[in-house]
Amino acid sequence: MTDLYKRLDKDNAAVLLVDHQTGLISGLVRDYGVDEFKNNVLALARTAKFFDLPVILTTSFENGPNGPLMQELTDMFPDAPVISRPGQINAWDNEDFVAAVEATGKKQLIIAGVVTDVCVAFPTLSAINAGYDVFVAVDGSGTVSKQVADAALTRMAHGGAELMNWFSIAAELQRDWRNDVEGFGALLAGQLPGYQNVIGSYTGAQKDATK
Amino acid sequence: MTDLYKRLDKDNAAVLLVDHQTGLISGLVRDYGVDEFKNNVLALARTAKFFDLPVILTTSFENGPNGPLMQELTDMFPDAPVISRPGQINAWDNEDFVAAVEATGKKQLIIAGVVTDVCVAFPTLSAINAGYDVFVAVDGSGTVSKQVADAALTRMAHGGAELMNWFSIAAELQRDWRNDVEGFGALLAGQLPGYQNVIGSYTGAQKDATK
Amino acid sequence: MTDLYKRLDKDNAAVLLVDHQTGLISGLVRDYGVDEFKNNVLALARTAKFFDLPVILTTSFENGPNGPLMQELTDMFPDAPVISRPGQINAWDNEDFVAAVEATGKKQLIIAGVVTDVCVAFPTLSAINAGYDVFVAVDGSGTVSKQVADAALTRMAHGGAELMNWFSIAAELQRDWRNDVEGFGALLAGQLPGYQNVIGSYTGAQKDATK
Amino acid sequence: MTDLYKRLDKDNAAVLLVDHQTGLISGLVRDYGVDEFKNNVLALARTAKFFDLPVILTTSFENGPNGPLMQELTDMFPDAPVISRPGQINAWDNEDFVAAVEATGKKQLIIAGVVTDVCVAFPTLSAINAGYDVFVAVDGSGTVSKQVADAALTRMAHGGAELMNWFSIAAELQRDWRNDVEGFGALLAGQLPGYQNVIGSYTGAQKDATK
Amino acid sequence: MTDLYKRLDKDNAAVLLVDHQTGLISGLVRDYGVDEFKNNVLALARTAKFFDLPVILTTSFENGPNGPLMQELTDMFPDAPVISRPGQINAWDNEDFVAAVEATGKKQLIIAGVVTDVCVAFPTLSAINAGYDVFVAVDGSGTVSKQVADAALTRMAHGGAELMNWFSIAAELQRDWRNDVEGFGALLAGQLPGYQNVIGSYTGAQKDATK
Amino acid sequence: MTDLYKRLDKDNAAVLLVDHQTGLISGLVRDYGVDEFKNNVLALARTAKFFDLPVILTTSFENGPNGPLMQELTDMFPDAPVISRPGQINAWDNEDFVAAVEATGKKQLIIAGVVTDVCVAFPTLSAINAGYDVFVAVDGSGTVSKQVADAALTRMAHGGAELMNWFSIAAELQRDWRNDVEGFGALLAGQLPGYQNVIGSYTGAQKDATK
Amino acid sequence: MTDLYKRLDKDNAAVLLVDHQTGLISGLVRDYGVDEFKNNVLALARTAKFFDLPVILTTSFENGPNGPLMQELTDMFPDAPVISRPGQINAWDNEDFVAAVEATGKKQLIIAGVVTDVCVAFPTLSAINAGYDVFVAVDGSGTVSKQVADAALTRMAHGGAELMNWFSIAAELQRDWRNDVEGFGALLAGQLPGYQNVIGSYTGAQKDATK
Amino acid sequence: MTDLYKRLDKDNAAVLLVDHQTGLISGLVRDYGVDEFKNNVLALARTAKFFDLPVILTTSFENGPNGPLMQELTDMFPDAPVISRPGQINAWDNEDFVAAVEATGKKQLIIAGVVTDVCVAFPTLSAINAGYDVFVAVDGSGTVSKQVADAALTRMAHGGAELMNWFSIAAELQRDWRNDVEGFGALLAGQLPGYQNVIGSYTGAQKDATK
């Protein structure tokens, strides 16, 4: 029986953040609210940090209107390779990018980017073709409309990509809360205000009970 | 010819309710209205009860912010196994849970849970991999956004799961109204206010006609 | 200085439930989800019960397609006057209805009904004209579309009605939790699943803390 | 005490249908679904017919891209005045139109048209200024977006117009079902598919009961 | 090369209308507007009539709250078999229904019904299993929510059904306008108010030009 | 009788375009689609041009992240005063701006800007206070969410502003098509693609008829 | 001429944050996204901090399911009065709260809270009645549905409140960027991710130009 | 390993624009805003122009209500074949159309049209069947509702089509910005107002920096 369940493994996964540049985000992303999208991208980045996954950053024309990477990303990963692509739209067409991916030695690629239909879809399909398992972080990826996002996600799903989101990615990498209860809880609380509130209520209730 | 239609059979089905905990629901579920979601979960539970299907409850960290199960569920199934997972996020990673599933002797699993992309998607894909037919109750499962839900449902559909909902599950298990017209009608009326109104009008009209 | 704040007073308020009939609800109400609307109407009714406010029920052509009242309402208020209007669309055009209102001796009227633009708007404007203060329970009132509801609510607000909802009505009648903490908490928990979850989590956390 | 409730009176009301032309509807109306809008306009027209109210039709440049009136309207009111305005955008700027209104002898004007912010708002404000009571049929009026409609309706409400819809207009003109139960029921059934279904169910239930 | 394009053929197609009953529609259908849904169902029925396709009607418990068929359907197809299922929920479980399908001699089945996830999905999957090509008329089928509809349509698409709608079904059956330009134009105009407006404008413009 | 209808007069109106700067639009406007918003702003500007109204442009910190004005605006109005405010957020706090308004000699001000709740609302309320009649072009004004826009528009309406939109402004200024049929038609066609299509169809139909 | 424009003045304004408690937010707020709402509340709080306005915090039953205040608020205002109301639902019914307001000596009150229809609407109307000018921060206030929020905001607007939002409040308090360009820019950038991106692009472009 | 990634190649691609006629667009397209749809269609056309791809235009009954092609398209491609189909609904049923496609010598077909479920879906499935790779430009294709569009796109995706959009098509054809940075940038700026703003800000910032 074939194993139908492609399961993320923290020892075999790398994260590719493609073109989360200030100009592209402000000019083009309209399928997520601005607060929601920023939180999603940072949540994915912090997930990568928490699990100490290799991260590769790449930009398209950063010295132009597309703008620099979100500063939080460069601050968070000072040692990550940043592939400034001189022109290639599909990051996979850039040899340095592919080399950086290969250098990680990982076979599972978590990809997010701006915009979904280009900067995510193209390298996703290329990487699948090259033999990688690709997990798209759909909520860390944005584009011009819900309709365009839906079409791109359908295309990737039919092309063999696994559609996930930062929280399910974090959960699959974690596998078991006991691997680090406090750390994982802090990760979630920091990025999910709803969960943060639940923790606040829990702590409050505990305090009340033991007064 | 392959049988493409995986059809639910009340003698071969079990229901797995994964992490319907108060903290997770209030903190995370935003793709359904609160009234609608509560009604959907109870409708699925009452469907299981009505058909006397084996039910397995499981929780993740119930002695923490995730909170206890919805009390209606524990009240409704006092004898069901409740697997309190000490840490595993994917319920299928918990041996007791899998053993409980196996102990039912059923090969069709109806799964619902919170959140869809983690607590439903992971055991769904694991169970398919283990040879089970899985029927996801999409409207008894909730998560942080419609976009995340859509991605998770697409992932499961491509992985071989059947996407259903509590009403179609109930209808497929019932097969024929004559198996218990009154009981089945009461089940529907109790959980579908729209249907309850139609019954009210029907009864009223009958009374009028025979006055 | 004029008192701009028309404040509900449980000793001076009556509740008018206009035409919550099964046929009208299933055939016409489309601006609220079916689960949400049923819960809202019952919540308003239970609020009236909790504060022991006089309730007046009225129907339009109940022995016809409009259907009987929601059974929960007649069960909940067995002793309330039920004015079966023989034809008047505006309940205020029915002398028995107005007499029933006057018999309560109250000057604050809480009105909800189906449909908002007719069965609520007409008696609301009539009652204001007759010198009453009217508080519309907007979420216990439904109609054919959001656009029609918005127009009707605007009309009523410009005509002098106070736009409220069952929860703010309950809160204003209660004034102070200490008047009956447990009763009021139970009222809220029973009708607000989100609040019920929060209470469940709180109770769970307290138990954990004192184990 | 001022009478705050402007109440429609079938002996004192006229209906003004402004620019329901094929080109304007197909090219500009986007705040209602096409099926819904057609049904709303015809419902308002049939309401006028049912109550035998004077109806005035008017068009703007019908021999041009704006197109002819919806044919159902000209078929339904073969004897109504049709004021083909040679250029005036605000119908009230056309003397023949105002004369036709005056000729009805009515002081309550029900206005609908395309587009809401121009063809409805301008004559509505003019007519109020001229001393008429104006009742806008919001759901028989359409325009380019919900946002533009909302702004125009707010403007008219602040200018003294009553915001209504075809159904509340019909109900207020009817006052009492007994004035013509069958006729009024047929009017509603013909234009409200939801109500038609409820009648169908009622009739079916009656038949069942008396078999 | 396999023929991937399952193409409707008017000489090989039959239409199955499943449970378009008044009670089910008013009580349960919430994923389409009421006007839109009625027009869609009638449009599909008129398409069947126009192409003289065999039509099979079936009902579930019509002598009960589910109510009778929409009267327009029984009026339109006085000679069509109407299979009143005594209890089977999946129409394909009823031998008379399957016999009626077989009696048509057609191998392409166009299916619509209420509700999508039960009355459409079950016979669709059964018929595919039995060797038929199934074309689901998604807009002539309704259910309790968009989310439930989406799940059911995904299930059917993955099970091999072709997702279509009444207009694409009509267009594919027609193949060429010249087969009956006037008849086909009238069919579209009667059911697509937007198209009707375009025709009205065209006719008006022609008249203007030749005056 | 007071004149309730504040009517735009092309000989007494000026247009104030406040802070339509590239950075503010891309960073903040989320209550309109990007295509729709650009078209609305240009439509308002072309309306001003068409009627030869005095236009005043103003910017806030254009030599900073807020960015320069949309280039189409500066190209279209090369001779208009451009008030580069050195710091004042409310344009009315800038003496040069008020002087420029006064220099027009007009008493009716049409205002649009980015963002609605600040750059439009503040000068609108100030100008009303200073005795001007203010007409807000709601669809040429954008902000961070629909909820914020609604609150700001409500505030302005209650403060005495007339809520309009570019099309109703153009129509009111034009008063009568005959003042310039071709020019006005071209203005509409250029900014309303729906109307452009209707004109295209009309012209086509005329050609067909006279072939 | 009356001054219609109630203008916020940083020397005369105080901020009242009512019941931003973890349980109430997670259990009840559904009219804003969770990320958006948290950012809005913090933005309002930071605005108060930036302008050094007196802030009053108040809670309802914090030692119960309603939970403690959002911890960010108590951390940010360690010296602010925190009025723990023993039972009063309307904060204005609590003498300590009113005394704290009076102690600020300010006559302009900026109010936000959870839920809008109760915890905001009641003290807003009470404070207006007591002679204060009230400015509601609509986007820092949340409740169970958009419909309930709309009704409550309409009620408050008709009762004399000014509907604003954190950004327009900050802008009105600031009046002129030059009062503290860097500080104000940092406030906006920190709470408006869209604006943060625009600043990022601007800085990047400047760097490019001067390399 | 099969190449799963069907990648557009500018030397092997042709563009088929099917029935973008004025009557069809104004009468039927309701799943995109009018401004958005026009911009999308022109963007796709300009992309074809920019890459000098062979373009084939086709119409259905252009001398009738369906109307002429959008004039911008005929103006932009004066030398493109325009196949006026005398009756065939599926363009692929027209021999001249297929011949025109074959004459291009290209094996990758980019298809857009009105309406999606007919004029796009039919030739898409036919062309796949005939051995072509088909790339659907989903945002340059419109139809009567989002639900109908979704069904048609699902059908095409399951039938083997690649779901793309004008921007991802342009990006894939371009491959590398360096092939023509200025030309490609101008293409994007002209059709993506959000991107145009970002460029405006960039240019402004550069100017500021070098002053």
Side-chain angles (χ1 to χ4, degrees), chain C residues 18-19 89-92 111-129 134 136-137 141-143 148-157 159-161 163, chain D residues 4-7 162-165 167-169 171-172:
Chain C
V18 185
D19 303 351
I89 292 176
N90 181 344
W92 209 263
I111 304 186
V114 172
V115 295
T116 313
D117 42 308
V118 175
C119 307
V120 178
F122 295 179
T124 287
L125 294 169
S126 290
I128 291 172
N129 228 32
V134 179
V136 176
S141 303
T143 190
V148 163
D150 284 349
L153 295 176
T154 296
R155 187 185 190 204
M156 290 187 267
L163 302 189
Chain D
L4 299 166
Y5 178 16
K6 291 184 187 166
R7 191 167 187 177
E162 300 288 309
L163 302 189
M164 295 185 73
N165 48 297
F167 183 43
S168 61
I169 288 167
E172 190 69 307

Side-chain angles (χ1 to χ4, degrees), chain C residues 9-94:
Chain C
D9 171 356
K10 72 182 170 189
D11 296 324
N12 194 23
V15 175
L16 315 184
L17 299 178
V18 185
D19 303 351
H20 287 99
Q21 295 167 257
T22 57
L24 293 174
I25 296 172
S26 63
L28 298 179
V29 176
R30 293 295 182 277
D31 55 340
Y32 286 93
V34 287
D35 297 321
E36 187 185 14
F37 189 66
K38 179 182 167 185
N39 283 12
N40 287 345
V41 173
L42 295 184
L44 180 62
R46 285 178 185 140
T47 297
K49 193 84 185 171
F50 180 72
F51 292 104
D52 208 18
L53 303 186
V55 171
I56 299 171
L57 302 170
T58 180
T59 60
S60 166
F61 267 115
E62 66 183 79
N63 300 327
N66 292 354
L69 281 175
M70 288 170 61
Q71 182 155 353
E72 289 92 340
L73 295 181
T74 46
D75 288 354
M76 210 184 298
F77 303 108
D79 303 324
V82 182
I83 313 297
S84 299
R85 307 194 310 279
Q88 302 94 343
I89 292 176
N90 181 344
W92 209 263
D93 283 344
N94 181 292

Side-chain angles (χ1 to χ4, degrees), chain D residues 78-97:
Chain D
D79 303 325
V82 182
I83 312 299
S84 299
R85 307 194 308 281
Q88 303 94 343
I89 291 176
N90 180 345
W92 209 263
D93 283 344
N94 181 292
E95 294 182 7
D96 295 340
F97 184 78

Side-chain angles (χ1 to χ4, degrees), chain C residues 1-8 31-32 36 135 138-139 146 150 153-154 157-158 162-165 167-172 174-178 181 184 192-195 198-199 202 206, chain G residues 22-24 26-28 30 60-61 63-66 86-90 93 115 117-118 121-123 125-126 128-131 143-148 150-152 154-155 158-160:
Chain C
M1 166 168 259
T2 322
D3 189 334
L4 299 166
Y5 178 16
K6 290 185 187 164
R7 192 166 186 177
L8 273 170
D31 55 340
Y32 286 93
E36 187 185 14
F135 302 79
V138 303
D139 56 354
K146 183 72 165 50
D150 284 349
L153 295 176
T154 296
H158 279 267
E162 300 288 310
L163 302 189
M164 295 185 75
N165 48 298
F167 183 42
S168 61
I169 288 167
E172 190 69 305
Q174 175 72 10
R175 296 282 174 99
D176 194 307
W177 278 82
R178 290 167 298 186
V181 174
F184 191 59
L192 287 168
Y195 199 69
V198 168
I199 291 176
Y202 183 75
Q206 297 253 3
Chain G
T22 57
L24 294 174
S26 63
L28 298 180
R30 292 296 181 277
S60 166
F61 267 115
N63 300 326
N66 292 353
Q88 302 94 342
I89 291 175
N90 181 344
D93 284 343
V115 295
D117 43 308
V118 175
F122 295 178
L125 295 169
S126 290
I128 291 171
N129 227 32
T143 190
V144 295
S145 71
K146 183 71 165 50
Q147 286 152 306
V148 163
D150 284 348
T154 296
R155 188 185 190 204
H158 281 266

